Amino acid sequence: MIWTVELAAVLDEAPFPATRDELIEWAERNGSPQQVLDNLYELEEIEQGEDVVYEGIEDIWPDYIGKEDFFHNEDDEGFDYDNV
């Protein structure tokens, strides 16, 4: 499973908390890239009838760099996080 910031960013709008199957279903409905789907399929499977619930992207990829991790001043002229 290989995550990049671009791939993980696809999950920024995912319906967390969610199970693996819920994330896969959401990703398929939203036309996520195949690599995102492949990564989600590799997540921990359901064991003995219990669902693993992911509270956020950090549960999937602990090293994820989110918007709050950037030290930019969003008030700076021309700064647009969506273009980072």
Side-chain angles (χ1 to χ4, degrees), residues 8-69:
V10 171
L11 298 178
D12 277 344
E13 301 298 320
F16 289 107
T19 65
R20 172 184 173 265
D21 291 338
E22 290 169 341
L23 289 172
I24 290 169
E25 181 181 326
W26 177 87
E28 288 173 342
R29 280 195 327 263
N30 286 286
S32 297
Q34 186 61 45
Q35 185 62 47
V36 170
L37 290 167
D38 292 344
N39 287 347
L40 292 173
Y41 277 110
E42 290 184 32
L43 291 176
E44 188 174 334
E45 302 252 357
I46 297 170
E47 295 180 17
Q48 300 174 354
E50 291 187 23
D51 291 341
V52 175
V53 176
Y54 298 94
E55 297 294 328
I57 184 63
E58 294 82 10
D59 288 349
I60 296 171
W61 187 37
D63 296 332
Y64 179 63
I65 300 171
K67 179 179 179 178
E68 63 278 353
D69 294 326

Side-chain angles (χ1 to χ4, degrees), residues 57-82:
I57 184 63
E58 294 82 10
D59 288 349
I60 296 171
W61 187 37
D63 296 332
Y64 179 63
I65 300 171
K67 179 179 179 178
E68 63 278 353
D69 294 326
F70 284 96
F71 296 108
H72 297 287
N73 182 356
E74 292 186 21
D75 295 330
D76 288 346
E77 183 178 327
F79 180 79
D80 183 2
Y81 172 74
D82 293 328

